[in-house]
Amino acid sequence: MTTTAPGATRRHYLMCEPRFYTVSYEINPWMDKTRYTDVDLAVRQWRTLRDTYLDLGHRVDTIEPIDGLPDMVYAANGATVVDGVVYSARFRYPERGPEGPAYQKWFADRGFVTHTAAQVNEGEGDMLVVGDMVLAGTGFRTDRAAHAEAQELFGRPVVSLELVDPHYYHLDTALAVLSSDPGDPQIAYYPPAFSAGSRSVLQQLFPDAVLATEQDAVALGLNAVSDGQNVVVAPAATDLAAALRERGYTPIPVETTELLKGGGGAKCCTLEIRPAGAPTGD
C-alpha cells in the first residue's frame, strides 16, 4: 500500500535568529572551526525559512539569541513540547549547556508548565512526535534514561531507536515525520543511520515509510519540517523530494547551507509548540 499526504494543519513554531552564529567548537562531524562561516548569509537563510512558515499560514515566535551560544539557532534542541508540557533540554556537551535553561525560561515566562530534565536529552533533536507515540533517538546525545523520563511526563509510548552513524547524531537528522495523524502516521528515514534492531522496529511500525537515499541523507534532507501537506526540505535532497511528490506531499526547497556547517537544517531551526488540547493528527 502507498500512503498519501493527509493535508496541512496550522503549526506553532519557536525559532532563534542566528545573529551570533559561528562554528567555534566541534561536537559533530559536520563542524569544522577552521572553515569560514558567514553570519549574514546564515541570517538571510534563516529569515527565508521563517518567512516560508509564515507564508504557509503557521505561527512563528522567536527567542532572543544569546552572545556566546552560537548553536542556539538550532531551536529544536532546546526542549520538547507535548500537550502544552515542556520537557527541558539537558545538553551532552558543556558548550551548549546554557541553552536548556534559556529555552525553559522562555516557556516559563509565557505560562507553560515546564519540567526540568533529570536526564541528558537534546529536545526535539532526539524526540519526534508521531501520532500518539514519541520516537526517541539515542547513541550519541540523548541518554536512553531520558526516554523513560519523557514517557512518564507525557504519558505517551516512547519508542527507543539506536543511532549508529555519528553524522546522524540526532534522530531528526536521520528521520522526518511527514504526518502525525494517529490513524495513518507517516515518516521518512535513512536506514543505515540506525542499528539493525532499530531498523526492524521502524519497518514494523512504518512498513510504508519513505526510505531516503544516501544523497538525501548527506544533504541533511531528512532534517525536514512537514505540516502534513507541505514539507520544507533541503534543495539538494532531490530523491526525497521526488518520493514526497509521489505520496502527494508538496516539497518546498529552502536553502540552509550555511547552517549546515554547524550540523543543522530546517528542522534543527524549528521547535514545534504543541498546545494542550490540540488535536494530535494533521
Side-chain angles (χ1 to χ4, degrees):
M1 181 181 71
T2 300
T3 55
T4 57
T9 55
R10 187 172 186 262
R11 304 300 175 100
H12 183 188
Y13 299 133
L14 178 61
M15 301 180 70
C16 182
E17 189 171 76
R19 294 201 298 272
F20 303 112
Y21 175 69
T22 187
V23 177
S24 57
Y25 48 81
E26 298 171 1
I27 59 173
N28 68 59
W30 304 88
M31 303 178 89
D32 179 354
K33 62 186 180 181
T34 68
R35 188 180 180 190
Y36 173 71
T37 51
D38 186 335
V39 66
D40 292 333
L41 177 57
V43 169
R44 290 197 301 273
Q45 290 183 343
W46 179 91
R47 289 179 178 173
T48 298
L49 178 63
R50 176 202 59 193
D51 292 348
T52 298
Y53 295 144
L54 294 173
D55 290 344
L56 290 170
H58 303 308
R59 173 180 171 184
V60 178
D61 287 338
T62 57
I63 181 173
E64 276 296 304
I66 298 173
D67 194 2
L69 297 179
D71 283 350
M72 199 169 167
V73 61
Y74 304 123
N77 305 157
T80 307
V81 187
V82 180
D83 297 326
V85 176
V86 179
Y87 179 39
S88 77
R90 184 174 179 181
F91 284 88
R92 170 71 58 190
Y93 291 100
E95 291 91 342
R96 299 196 66 183
E99 294 178 43
Y103 276 94
Q104 186 173 3
K105 183 179 186 303
W106 187 94
F107 282 105
D109 287 348
R110 285 152 184 81
F112 285 83
V113 176
T114 70
H115 174 84
T116 303
Q119 307 297 333
V120 173
N121 81 91
E122 300 203 351
E124 276 195 334
D126 272 325
M127 295 194 185
L128 300 176
V129 177
V130 189
D132 291 328
M133 75 178 77
V134 178
L135 300 180
T138 190
F140 295 102
R141 298 295 185 87
T142 295
D143 285 346
R144 191 177 292 268
H147 301 178
E149 187 175 25
Q151 181 168 274
E152 288 301 309
L153 180 64
F154 296 137
R156 297 190 183 207
V158 174
V159 178
S160 296
L161 299 170
E162 186 81 19
L163 297 163
V164 296
D165 185 331
H167 287 87
Y168 310 107
Y169 58 95
H170 278 153
L171 183 62
D172 70 358
T173 65
L175 186 151
V177 178
L178 302 178
S179 169
S180 288
D181 184 343
D184 187 22
Q186 299 175 25
I187 68 168
Y189 69 99
Y190 180 54
F194 296 91
S195 68
S198 294
R199 290 197 301 272
S200 179
V201 168
L202 288 169
Q203 289 163 6
Q204 292 178 58
L205 289 175
F206 307 99
D208 298 309
V210 174
L211 300 184
T213 64
E214 183 179 8
Q215 175 184 309
D216 299 329
V218 298
L220 275 194
L222 289 163
N223 199 241
V225 178
S226 174
D227 62 14
Q229 172 62 55
N230 306 290
V231 184
V232 176
V233 64
T238 54
D239 293 337
L240 179 60
L244 292 173
R245 290 190 194 94
E246 290 179 2
R247 302 293 183 100
Y249 291 95
T250 302
I252 300 178
V254 176
E255 197 71 79
T256 54
T257 50
E258 199 63 23
L259 296 164
L260 182 60
K261 293 176 181 178
K267 179 66 187 92
C268 283
C269 295
T270 311
L271 171 58
E272 183 165 354
I273 301 174
R274 303 173 185 86
T280 305
D282 294 312

